[in-house]
Amino acid sequence: MGTWDIGPFENDTASDFANDLDDAAKGERQTLIRRVLMRTAGNRDYLEAPDAEEAVAAAALLAAQCPGGEPVSPHYCPDEPVPSLPTDRSRLAVEALDRVLADESELSELWGVAEDGRRWRDSIRQMRRVLDPTPQTRTSNAQDLWISSGRTYLPV
C-alpha cells in the first residue's frame, strides 16, 4: 500500500483516481465519482483496498462542497476543478464510507493495525458527519453498536 498519510488523496490509488478525474472530460467527472461511490456502496463481498481508497477520495470531493467540509489537499487532489456535485450524492457517499469502515474491508483492516489507524478512522467519521449531519445514536447493548440512517455497525 503506497500511503504517506491519512488524507483521502494521500495514497497511490487516490492519486491515480485524481489523475483519472483530470483526464476525464468535464461532463464525465460527476459520472466517474458516482460510479466509484456506487461500486463501493453496493459491494457485498470483501472490499479490496483500492476500491475503498477511491471511494474515500470521491467522498472527500463531495464533503469538501458541503457546509463544514474540509478542503481536499491541494497537492494530491485533482488539478482540474471538480464540478459542483448534486447533494443527493451525499447519501451514496455515506453508504460508501460505511462500507469502507465495515467488516470485510481490506482498507479498514490495514488501518486497524497501522500506527495512525485511529486518526484515519476519526477522519473518515468526520467526513461522514459532514455528509450526513443527522446525529448518530449509540445503543446500550454489550456490543457497543452504532445506529445511523437505518444501518447498524460496530465503531472502529
Side-chain angles (χ1 to χ4, degrees), residues 6-100:
I6 66 165
F9 282 94
E10 294 173 343
N11 61 73
D12 290 338
T13 303
S15 181
D16 290 344
F17 176 63
N19 289 334
D20 291 345
L21 286 170
D22 285 339
D23 292 343
K26 188 176 181 178
E28 293 297 314
R29 293 183 189 129
Q30 277 189 27
T31 302
L32 186 56
I33 291 167
R34 182 175 182 274
R35 190 176 310 136
V36 164
L37 293 172
M38 286 181 62
R39 181 179 62 224
T40 299
N43 183 308
R44 300 294 172 242
D45 298 320
Y46 187 76
L47 181 63
E48 300 290 336
D51 288 341
E53 289 168 331
E54 283 186 349
V56 169
L61 292 171
L62 184 57
Q65 296 180 6
C66 294
E70 293 287 322
V72 292
S73 167
H75 302 291
Y76 305 114
C77 69
D79 292 328
E80 297 297 318
V82 176
S84 292
L85 299 167
T87 55
D88 66 339
R89 298 284 191 273
S90 292
R91 180 77 234 133
L92 184 58
V94 166
E95 289 177 17
L97 292 176
D98 285 348
R99 184 62 188 91
V100 167

